[in-house]
Amino acid sequence: MQNRATGWLDEAHHLGVRHLLLHTLSRYFLCCPVYCLMPDHGHFLFVGLEARADQLAALSWFRREWNRLLRPVKQQDQA
């Protein structure tokens, strides 16, 4: 997170992230066998399920939507 912000990770936010993941994975033909939300960042493993899978587009969409969910906290610009 930008400036290593903490305090955003609660049960409601975790539910929102799982909801975003479901939309991302189905939209871009991916699976996410494991993810980990840390106090100041998150890790996600995206794996393509078929030739139509698009990890770059998925990551772009997921990051944009996750930033909306995180407001007023914001992700840093680069991983």
Coordinates of all heavy atoms in Angstrom, one line a residue:
M1 N 0.8 -1.2 0.0 CA 0.0 0.0 0.0 C 0.9 1.2 0.0 O 2.0 1.2 0.5 CB -0.9 0.0 1.2 CG -1.9 -1.2 1.3 SD -2.9 -1.3 -0.1 CE -3.1 -3.0 -0.3
Q2 N 0.3 2.3 -0.5 CA 1.1 3.5 -0.6 C 1.4 4.0 0.9 O 0.6 3.9 1.8 CB 0.2 4.6 -1.2 CG 1.0 5.8 -1.7 CD 0.1 6.7 -2.5 OE1 -1.0 7.0 -2.2 NE2 0.6 7.1 -3.7
N3 N 2.7 4.3 1.1 CA 3.2 4.7 2.4 C 3.0 3.6 3.4 O 2.9 3.9 4.6 CB 2.6 6.0 2.9 CG 2.8 7.1 1.9 OD1 3.9 7.3 1.4 ND2 1.8 7.9 1.7
R4 N 3.0 2.3 2.9 CA 2.9 1.2 3.8 C 1.7 1.3 4.8 O 1.7 0.9 5.9 CB 4.2 0.9 4.6 CG 5.3 0.6 3.6 CD 6.5 0.1 4.3 NE 6.4 -1.2 5.0 CZ 6.6 -2.3 4.5 NH1 7.0 -2.4 3.2 NH2 6.5 -3.4 5.1
A5 N 0.6 1.8 4.3 CA -0.6 2.0 5.1 C -1.2 0.7 5.6 O -1.1 -0.3 5.0 CB -1.7 2.7 4.2
T6 N -1.7 0.8 6.8 CA -2.3 -0.4 7.5 C -3.7 0.0 8.0 O -4.1 1.1 7.8 CB -1.4 -0.9 8.7 OG1 -1.3 0.2 9.6 CG2 0.0 -1.3 8.2
G7 N -4.4 -0.9 8.5 CA -5.7 -0.6 9.1 C -6.8 -0.9 8.2 O -8.0 -0.8 8.5
W8 N -6.5 -1.2 6.9 CA -7.6 -1.5 5.9 C -8.1 -2.9 5.9 O -9.1 -3.2 5.4 CB -7.1 -1.1 4.5 CG -5.8 -1.8 4.2 CD1 -4.5 -1.3 4.4 CD2 -5.6 -3.1 3.6 NE1 -3.6 -2.3 4.0 CE2 -4.2 -3.3 3.5 CE3 -6.5 -4.1 3.1 CZ2 -3.7 -4.5 3.0 CZ3 -6.0 -5.2 2.6 CH2 -4.6 -5.4 2.5
L9 N -7.3 -3.8 6.5 CA -7.6 -5.2 6.4 C -8.5 -5.7 7.6 O -8.1 -5.8 8.7 CB -6.3 -6.0 6.4 CG -6.5 -7.5 6.3 CD1 -7.2 -7.9 5.0 CD2 -5.1 -8.2 6.2
D10 N -9.8 -5.8 7.2 CA -10.8 -6.4 8.2 C -11.6 -7.4 7.5 O -11.4 -7.7 6.3 CB -11.6 -5.2 8.8 CG -12.4 -4.4 7.8 OD1 -12.6 -4.9 6.6 OD2 -12.8 -3.3 8.1
E11 N -12.5 -8.0 8.2 CA -13.4 -9.0 7.7 C -14.2 -8.6 6.4 O -14.3 -9.3 5.4 CB -14.3 -9.6 8.7 CG -14.5 -11.1 8.7 CD -15.3 -11.6 9.9 OE1 -14.8 -11.4 11.0 OE2 -16.4 -12.1 9.6
A12 N -14.7 -7.4 6.5 CA -15.5 -6.9 5.4 C -14.7 -6.6 4.2 O -15.1 -7.0 3.0 CB -16.2 -5.6 5.8
H13 N -13.4 -6.1 4.4 CA -12.6 -5.9 3.2 C -12.1 -7.3 2.6 O -12.1 -7.4 1.4 CB -11.3 -5.1 3.6 CG -10.5 -4.8 2.4 ND1 -10.8 -3.7 1.6 CD2 -9.4 -5.4 1.9 CE1 -9.9 -3.7 0.6 NE2 -9.0 -4.7 0.8
H14 N -11.9 -8.3 3.4 CA -11.5 -9.6 2.9 C -12.6 -10.2 2.1 O -12.4 -10.7 1.0 CB -11.1 -10.5 4.1 CG -10.4 -11.7 3.7 ND1 -10.2 -12.8 4.6 CD2 -9.9 -12.2 2.5 CE1 -9.6 -13.8 3.9 NE2 -9.4 -13.4 2.7
L15 N -13.8 -10.0 2.5 CA -15.0 -10.4 1.7 C -15.0 -9.7 0.4 O -15.3 -10.3 -0.6 CB -16.3 -10.2 2.5 CG -17.6 -10.6 1.8 CD1 -17.6 -12.1 1.6 CD2 -18.8 -10.2 2.7
G16 N -14.8 -8.4 0.4 CA -14.8 -7.7 -0.8 C -13.7 -8.1 -1.8 O -13.9 -8.2 -3.0
V17 N -12.5 -8.4 -1.3 CA -11.4 -8.9 -2.1 C -11.8 -10.3 -2.7 O -11.6 -10.5 -3.9 CB -10.1 -9.1 -1.3 CG1 -9.0 -9.8 -2.0 CG2 -9.6 -7.7 -0.9
R18 N -12.4 -11.2 -1.9 CA -12.8 -12.5 -2.5 C -13.9 -12.3 -3.6 O -13.8 -12.9 -4.6 CB -13.3 -13.4 -1.4 CG -12.3 -13.9 -0.5 CD -12.7 -15.0 0.4 NE -14.0 -14.8 1.1 CZ -14.1 -14.5 2.4 NH1 -13.0 -14.3 3.1 NH2 -15.3 -14.3 2.9
H19 N -14.7 -11.3 -3.4 CA -15.7 -11.0 -4.4 C -15.1 -10.5 -5.7 O -15.4 -10.9 -6.8 CB -16.7 -10.0 -3.9 CG -17.8 -9.6 -4.8 ND1 -18.9 -10.4 -5.0 CD2 -18.0 -8.5 -5.6 CE1 -19.7 -9.8 -5.8 NE2 -19.2 -8.7 -6.3
L20 N -14.1 -9.6 -5.6 CA -13.4 -9.1 -6.7 C -12.6 -10.2 -7.4 O -12.5 -10.3 -8.6 CB -12.4 -8.0 -6.3 CG -12.9 -6.6 -6.0 CD1 -11.8 -5.7 -5.5 CD2 -13.6 -6.1 -7.2
L21 N -12.0 -11.1 -6.6 CA -11.3 -12.2 -7.2 C -12.2 -13.1 -8.1 O -11.8 -13.5 -9.2 CB -10.6 -13.1 -6.1 CG -9.3 -12.7 -5.6 CD1 -8.8 -13.5 -4.4 CD2 -8.2 -12.7 -6.7
L22 N -13.4 -13.4 -7.6 CA -14.3 -14.2 -8.3 C -14.6 -13.6 -9.7 O -14.6 -14.3 -10.7 CB -15.6 -14.5 -7.6 CG -15.5 -15.5 -6.4 CD1 -16.8 -15.5 -5.6 CD2 -15.2 -16.8 -6.9
H23 N -14.9 -12.3 -9.7 CA -15.2 -11.6 -10.9 C -13.9 -11.6 -11.9 O -14.1 -11.8 -13.1 CB -15.6 -10.2 -10.7 CG -17.0 -10.1 -10.2 ND1 -18.1 -10.2 -11.0 CD2 -17.6 -10.0 -9.0 CE1 -19.2 -10.1 -10.4 NE2 -18.9 -10.0 -9.1
T24 N -12.8 -11.3 -11.3 CA -11.6 -11.3 -12.1 C -11.3 -12.6 -12.7 O -11.0 -12.7 -13.9 CB -10.4 -10.8 -11.2 OG1 -10.7 -9.6 -10.6 CG2 -9.1 -10.7 -12.0
L25 N -11.3 -13.7 -11.9 CA -11.0 -15.0 -12.4 C -11.9 -15.5 -13.5 O -11.5 -16.1 -14.5 CB -10.9 -16.0 -11.2 CG -10.0 -15.6 -10.1 CD1 -10.1 -16.6 -8.9 CD2 -8.5 -15.5 -10.6
S26 N -13.2 -15.3 -13.3 CA -14.2 -15.7 -14.3 C -14.1 -14.9 -15.6 O -14.2 -15.4 -16.7 CB -15.6 -15.7 -13.8 OG -16.0 -14.4 -13.5
R27 N -13.8 -13.6 -15.5 CA -13.7 -12.7 -16.6 C -12.5 -13.0 -17.5 O -12.6 -12.8 -18.7 CB -13.7 -11.3 -16.1 CG -13.7 -10.2 -17.2 CD -13.6 -8.8 -16.5 NE -14.9 -8.6 -15.9 CZ -15.5 -7.5 -15.7 NH1 -14.9 -6.4 -16.2 NH2 -16.7 -7.4 -15.1
Y28 N -11.4 -13.4 -16.9 CA -10.1 -13.5 -17.6 C -9.6 -14.9 -17.6 O -8.5 -15.2 -18.0 CB -9.1 -12.6 -17.0 CG -9.5 -11.1 -17.2 CD1 -10.0 -10.4 -16.1 CD2 -9.3 -10.5 -18.4 CE1 -10.4 -9.1 -16.3 CE2 -9.6 -9.2 -18.6 CZ -10.2 -8.5 -17.5 OH -10.6 -7.2 -17.7
F29 N -10.5 -15.9 -17.3 CA -10.2 -17.4 -17.5 C -8.9 -17.8 -16.7 O -8.0 -18.4 -17.2 CB -10.0 -17.7 -19.0 CG -11.1 -17.3 -19.8 CD1 -11.1 -16.1 -20.6 CD2 -12.3 -18.0 -19.8 CE1 -12.1 -15.7 -21.3 CE2 -13.4 -17.6 -20.6 CZ -13.3 -16.4 -21.3
L30 N -9.0 -17.4 -15.4 CA -7.9 -17.7 -14.5 C -8.3 -18.4 -13.3 O -9.5 -18.5 -13.0 CB -7.2 -16.4 -14.0 CG -6.7 -15.4 -15.1 CD1 -6.4 -14.1 -14.5 CD2 -5.5 -16.0 -15.8
C31 N -7.4 -18.9 -12.5 CA -7.7 -19.4 -11.2 C -6.6 -18.7 -10.2 O -5.6 -18.3 -10.7 CB -7.7 -20.9 -11.1 SG -6.1 -21.7 -11.1
C32 N -7.0 -18.7 -9.0 CA -6.1 -18.2 -8.0 C -6.0 -19.2 -6.9 O -6.8 -19.1 -5.9 CB -6.6 -16.8 -7.5 SG -5.5 -16.0 -6.2
P33 N -5.0 -20.1 -7.0 CA -5.0 -21.2 -6.0 C -4.6 -20.7 -4.6 O -4.9 -21.4 -3.6 CB -4.0 -22.2 -6.6 CG -3.2 -21.4 -7.5 CD -4.0 -20.3 -8.0
V34 N -3.9 -19.6 -4.5 CA -3.5 -19.1 -3.2 C -3.3 -17.6 -3.3 O -3.0 -17.0 -4.3 CB -2.1 -19.8 -2.8 CG1 -1.0 -19.4 -3.7 CG2 -1.8 -19.5 -1.4
Y35 N -3.7 -17.0 -2.2 CA -3.4 -15.5 -2.0 C -3.2 -15.3 -0.5 O -3.6 -16.1 0.3 CB -4.6 -14.7 -2.6 CG -5.9 -14.7 -1.8 CD1 -6.1 -13.8 -0.8 CD2 -6.8 -15.7 -2.1 CE1 -7.3 -13.8 -0.1 CE2 -8.0 -15.7 -1.4 CZ -8.3 -14.7 -0.4 OH -9.4 -14.8 0.3
C36 N -2.6 -14.2 -0.2 CA -2.3 -13.8 1.2 C -2.4 -12.3 1.3 O -1.8 -11.6 0.6 CB -0.9 -14.3 1.5 SG -0.5 -13.9 3.2
L37 N -3.3 -11.9 2.2 CA -3.5 -10.5 2.5 C -2.7 -10.2 3.8 O -2.9 -10.8 4.8 CB -4.9 -10.1 2.7 CG -5.8 -10.3 1.5 CD1 -7.3 -9.9 1.9 CD2 -5.3 -9.4 0.4
M38 N -1.7 -9.3 3.6 CA -0.8 -8.9 4.7 C -1.3 -7.5 5.3 O -2.1 -6.9 4.6 CB 0.6 -8.8 4.3 CG 1.1 -10.1 3.6 SD 1.2 -11.5 4.7 CE 2.7 -11.1 5.6
P39 N -0.8 -7.1 6.4 CA -1.2 -5.8 7.0 C -1.0 -4.6 6.1 O -1.7 -3.6 6.1 CB -0.4 -5.7 8.3 CG -0.1 -7.0 8.7 CD 0.1 -7.8 7.4
D40 N 0.0 -4.7 5.2 CA 0.3 -3.5 4.3 C 0.4 -3.9 2.8 O 0.9 -3.0 2.0 CB 1.5 -2.7 4.8 CG 2.8 -3.6 4.8 OD1 2.7 -4.8 4.5 OD2 3.9 -3.0 5.0
H41 N 0.0 -5.1 2.4 CA 0.1 -5.5 1.0 C -0.6 -6.8 0.9 O -1.0 -7.4 1.8 CB 1.5 -5.5 0.5 CG 2.4 -6.6 1.2 ND1 2.9 -6.5 2.4 CD2 2.8 -7.8 0.7 CE1 3.6 -7.6 2.7 NE2 3.5 -8.4 1.7
G42 N -0.7 -7.3 -0.4 CA -1.3 -8.6 -0.7 C -0.5 -9.3 -1.7 O 0.3 -8.7 -2.5
H43 N -0.6 -10.7 -1.7 CA 0.1 -11.5 -2.7 C -1.0 -12.4 -3.3 O -1.9 -12.9 -2.6 CB 1.1 -12.5 -2.0 CG 2.2 -11.8 -1.3 ND1 3.3 -11.4 -2.0 CD2 2.4 -11.4 -0.1 CE1 4.2 -10.8 -1.1 NE2 3.6 -10.8 0.0
F44 N -1.0 -12.5 -4.7 CA -1.9 -13.3 -5.4 C -1.2 -14.1 -6.5 O -0.3 -13.5 -7.2 CB -3.0 -12.4 -6.1 CG -3.7 -11.5 -5.1 CD1 -3.2 -10.3 -4.8 CD2 -4.9 -11.9 -4.6 CE1 -3.9 -9.4 -3.9 CE2 -5.6 -11.1 -3.7 CZ -5.1 -9.9 -3.3
L45 N -1.6 -15.3 -6.6 CA -1.0 -16.2 -7.7 C -2.1 -16.4 -8.7 O -3.1 -17.1 -8.4 CB -0.5 -17.5 -7.1 CG 0.0 -18.5 -8.1 CD1 1.3 -17.9 -8.9 CD2 0.4 -19.8 -7.4
F46 N -2.0 -15.8 -9.9 CA -3.0 -16.0 -11.0 C -2.4 -17.0 -11.9 O -1.3 -16.9 -12.4 CB -3.2 -14.7 -11.7 CG -4.1 -13.7 -10.9 CD1 -4.0 -12.4 -11.3 CD2 -4.8 -14.1 -9.9 CE1 -4.8 -11.4 -10.6 CE2 -5.6 -13.1 -9.2 CZ -5.6 -11.8 -9.5
V47 N -3.2 -18.0 -12.3 CA -2.8 -19.1 -13.2 C -3.8 -19.1 -14.3 O -5.0 -19.2 -14.1 CB -2.7 -20.4 -12.5 CG1 -2.3 -21.5 -13.5 CG2 -1.7 -20.3 -11.4
G48 N -3.4 -19.1 -15.6 CA -4.3 -19.2 -16.7 C -4.9 -20.6 -16.8 O -4.2 -21.6 -16.6
L49 N -6.1 -20.7 -17.2 CA -6.8 -21.9 -17.3 C -6.9 -22.4 -18.8 O -7.2 -23.6 -19.0 CB -8.2 -21.9 -16.7 CG -8.3 -21.6 -15.2 CD1 -9.7 -21.4 -14.8 CD2 -7.7 -22.8 -14.5
E50 N -6.8 -21.5 -19.7 CA -6.9 -21.8 -21.1 C -6.2 -20.7 -22.0 O -5.7 -19.7 -21.4 CB -8.3 -22.0 -21.6 CG -9.2 -20.8 -21.3 CD -10.6 -21.0 -21.6 OE1 -11.3 -21.8 -20.9 OE2 -11.1 -20.4 -22.7
A51 N -6.2 -20.9 -23.3 CA -5.4 -20.0 -24.1 C -6.0 -18.5 -24.1 O -5.3 -17.6 -24.3 CB -5.5 -20.5 -25.6
R52 N -7.3 -18.4 -23.7 CA -7.9 -17.0 -23.7 C -7.5 -16.3 -22.4 O -7.8 -15.1 -22.2 CB -9.4 -17.1 -23.7 CG -9.9 -17.7 -25.0 CD -11.5 -17.6 -25.0 NE -12.0 -18.6 -24.1 CZ -13.3 -18.8 -23.8 NH1 -14.2 -18.0 -24.3 NH2 -13.7 -19.7 -22.9
A53 N -6.8 -16.9 -21.5 CA -6.4 -16.3 -20.2 C -5.6 -15.1 -20.5 O -4.7 -15.1 -21.4 CB -5.7 -17.3 -19.3
D54 N -5.8 -14.0 -19.7 CA -5.1 -12.7 -19.9 C -4.7 -12.2 -18.6 O -5.5 -11.4 -18.0 CB -5.9 -11.8 -20.7 CG -5.2 -10.5 -21.2 OD1 -4.1 -10.3 -20.6 OD2 -5.7 -9.8 -22.1
Q55 N -3.5 -12.6 -18.1 CA -3.1 -12.2 -16.7 C -2.9 -10.7 -16.6 O -3.2 -10.1 -15.6 CB -1.9 -13.0 -16.3 CG -2.2 -14.4 -16.1 CD -0.9 -15.2 -15.7 OE1 0.2 -14.8 -16.1 NE2 -1.1 -16.3 -15.0
L56 N -2.3 -10.1 -17.7 CA -2.0 -8.6 -17.6 C -3.3 -7.8 -17.5 O -3.4 -6.9 -16.7 CB -1.2 -8.2 -18.8 CG 0.3 -8.7 -18.8 CD1 0.9 -8.2 -20.1 CD2 1.0 -8.2 -17.6
A57 N -4.3 -8.1 -18.3 CA -5.6 -7.4 -18.3 C -6.2 -7.7 -17.0 O -6.8 -6.8 -16.4 CB -6.4 -7.9 -19.5
A58 N -6.2 -8.9 -16.5 CA -6.8 -9.3 -15.2 C -6.1 -8.5 -14.1 O -6.9 -7.9 -13.2 CB -6.6 -10.8 -14.9
L59 N -4.8 -8.4 -14.1 CA -4.2 -7.6 -13.0 C -4.5 -6.2 -13.0 O -4.8 -5.5 -12.0 CB -2.6 -7.8 -13.1 CG -1.8 -7.2 -12.0 CD1 -2.2 -7.7 -10.6 CD2 -0.4 -7.5 -12.3
S60 N -4.6 -5.6 -14.2 CA -5.0 -4.2 -14.4 C -6.4 -4.0 -13.9 O -6.6 -3.0 -13.1 CB -4.9 -3.8 -15.9 OG -5.3 -2.5 -16.0
W61 N -7.3 -4.8 -14.2 CA -8.7 -4.7 -13.8 C -8.8 -4.9 -12.3 O -9.4 -4.1 -11.6 CB -9.6 -5.7 -14.5 CG -11.0 -5.5 -14.3 CD1 -11.9 -4.6 -15.0 CD2 -11.8 -6.1 -13.3 NE1 -13.1 -4.7 -14.4 CE2 -13.1 -5.6 -13.4 CE3 -11.6 -7.0 -12.2 CZ2 -14.2 -6.0 -12.6 CZ3 -12.6 -7.4 -11.4 CH2 -13.9 -6.9 -11.6
F62 N -8.1 -5.9 -11.8 CA -8.2 -6.2 -10.3 C -7.6 -5.1 -9.5 O -8.2 -4.6 -8.5 CB -7.4 -7.5 -10.0 CG -7.5 -7.9 -8.6 CD1 -8.6 -8.5 -8.1 CD2 -6.4 -7.7 -7.8 CE1 -8.7 -8.8 -6.7 CE2 -6.4 -8.0 -6.4 CZ -7.6 -8.6 -5.9
R63 N -6.5 -4.5 -9.9 CA -5.8 -3.4 -9.2 C -6.7 -2.2 -9.2 O -6.9 -1.5 -8.1 CB -4.5 -3.1 -9.8 CG -3.4 -4.0 -9.4 CD -2.0 -3.6 -10.0 NE -1.6 -2.3 -9.6 CZ -0.9 -2.0 -8.5 NH1 -0.5 -3.0 -7.7 NH2 -0.5 -0.8 -8.3
R64 N -7.4 -1.9 -10.3 CA -8.3 -0.7 -10.4 C -9.4 -0.9 -9.4 O -9.8 0.0 -8.6 CB -8.7 -0.5 -11.8 CG -9.6 0.8 -12.0 CD -10.1 1.0 -13.4 NE -11.0 0.0 -13.8 CZ -10.7 -0.9 -14.8 NH1 -9.6 -0.9 -15.4 NH2 -11.6 -1.8 -15.1
E65 N -10.1 -2.1 -9.5 CA -11.2 -2.3 -8.6 C -10.8 -2.4 -7.1 O -11.6 -2.0 -6.3 CB -11.9 -3.6 -9.1 CG -12.5 -3.5 -10.5 CD -13.5 -2.4 -10.6 OE1 -14.4 -2.2 -9.7 OE2 -13.4 -1.6 -11.6
W66 N -9.7 -3.0 -6.9 CA -9.2 -3.1 -5.5 C -8.9 -1.7 -4.9 O -9.2 -1.4 -3.8 CB -8.0 -4.0 -5.4 CG -7.6 -4.4 -4.0 CD1 -8.5 -4.4 -2.9 CD2 -6.4 -5.0 -3.5 NE1 -7.8 -4.9 -1.8 CE2 -6.6 -5.2 -2.2 CE3 -5.2 -5.3 -4.2 CZ2 -5.5 -5.8 -1.4 CZ3 -4.2 -5.8 -3.4 CH2 -4.3 -6.1 -2.0
N67 N -8.4 -0.8 -5.7 CA -8.2 0.6 -5.3 C -9.5 1.2 -4.9 O -9.5 2.0 -3.9 CB -7.4 1.4 -6.3 CG -5.9 1.4 -6.1 OD1 -5.4 1.4 -5.0 ND2 -5.2 1.4 -7.2
R68 N -10.5 1.0 -5.7 CA -11.9 1.5 -5.3 C -12.3 1.0 -4.0 O -12.9 1.7 -3.1 CB -12.9 1.2 -6.4 CG -12.7 1.9 -7.6 CD -13.7 1.6 -8.7 NE -13.4 2.2 -9.9 CZ -14.0 1.9 -11.1 NH1 -14.9 1.0 -11.1 NH2 -13.6 2.6 -12.2
L69 N -12.1 -0.3 -3.7 CA -12.5 -0.9 -2.5 C -11.6 -0.4 -1.3 O -12.1 -0.3 -0.2 CB -12.3 -2.4 -2.6 CG -12.8 -3.3 -1.5 CD1 -14.3 -3.2 -1.3 CD2 -12.4 -4.8 -1.8
L70 N -10.4 0.0 -1.6 CA -9.5 0.4 -0.5 C -9.7 1.8 -0.1 O -9.1 2.2 1.0 CB -8.0 0.3 -1.0 CG -7.4 -1.1 -1.0 CD1 -6.2 -1.2 -1.8 CD2 -7.2 -1.6 0.4
R71 N -10.3 2.7 -0.8 CA -10.4 4.1 -0.5 C -10.7 4.3 0.9 O -11.5 3.6 1.5 CB -11.5 4.7 -1.4 CG -11.1 5.0 -2.8 CD -12.2 5.7 -3.6 NE -11.8 5.7 -5.0 CZ -12.6 5.6 -5.9 NH1 -13.9 5.5 -5.7 NH2 -12.2 5.7 -7.2
P72 N -10.0 5.3 1.6 CA -9.1 6.2 1.1 C -7.6 5.7 1.0 O -6.8 6.4 0.4 CB -9.1 7.4 2.1 CG -9.4 6.7 3.4 CD -10.3 5.5 3.0
V73 N -7.3 4.5 1.4 CA -6.0 3.9 1.2 C -5.8 3.7 -0.2 O -6.8 3.4 -1.0 CB -5.9 2.6 2.1 CG1 -4.5 2.0 1.8 CG2 -6.0 2.9 3.5
K74 N -4.6 3.7 -0.7 CA -4.3 3.5 -2.1 C -3.1 2.6 -2.3 O -2.2 2.7 -1.5 CB -4.0 4.8 -2.8 CG -3.8 4.7 -4.3 CD -3.7 6.1 -5.0 CE -3.6 5.9 -6.5 NZ -2.4 6.2 -7.1
Q75 N -3.1 1.7 -3.3 CA -1.9 0.9 -3.6 C -0.8 1.8 -4.2 O -1.1 2.8 -4.8 CB -2.3 -0.2 -4.6 CG -3.3 -1.1 -4.2 CD -3.6 -2.1 -5.3 OE1 -2.8 -2.9 -5.7 NE2 -4.9 -2.1 -5.7
Q76 N 0.4 1.3 -3.9 CA 1.5 2.0 -4.6 C 1.4 1.8 -6.1 O 0.8 0.8 -6.5 CB 2.9 1.6 -4.0 CG 3.2 0.1 -4.3 CD 4.4 -0.4 -3.6 OE1 4.8 0.2 -2.6 NE2 5.0 -1.4 -4.1
D77 N 2.1 2.6 -6.9 CA 1.9 2.6 -8.3 C 2.5 1.3 -8.9 O 2.0 0.7 -9.9 CB 2.6 3.8 -9.0 CG 1.8 5.0 -8.7 OD1 0.6 4.9 -8.5 OD2 2.4 6.1 -8.7
Q78 N 3.6 0.8 -8.4 CA 4.3 -0.4 -9.0 C 4.4 -1.5 -7.9 O 4.5 -1.1 -6.7 CB 5.7 -0.1 -9.4 CG 5.7 0.8 -10.6 CD 5.2 0.2 -11.9 OE1 5.4 -1.0 -12.1 NE2 4.5 0.9 -12.7
A79 N 4.3 -2.7 -8.3 CA 4.4 -3.8 -7.4 C 5.8 -3.9 -6.8 O 6.7 -3.4 -7.4 CB 4.1 -5.1 -8.1

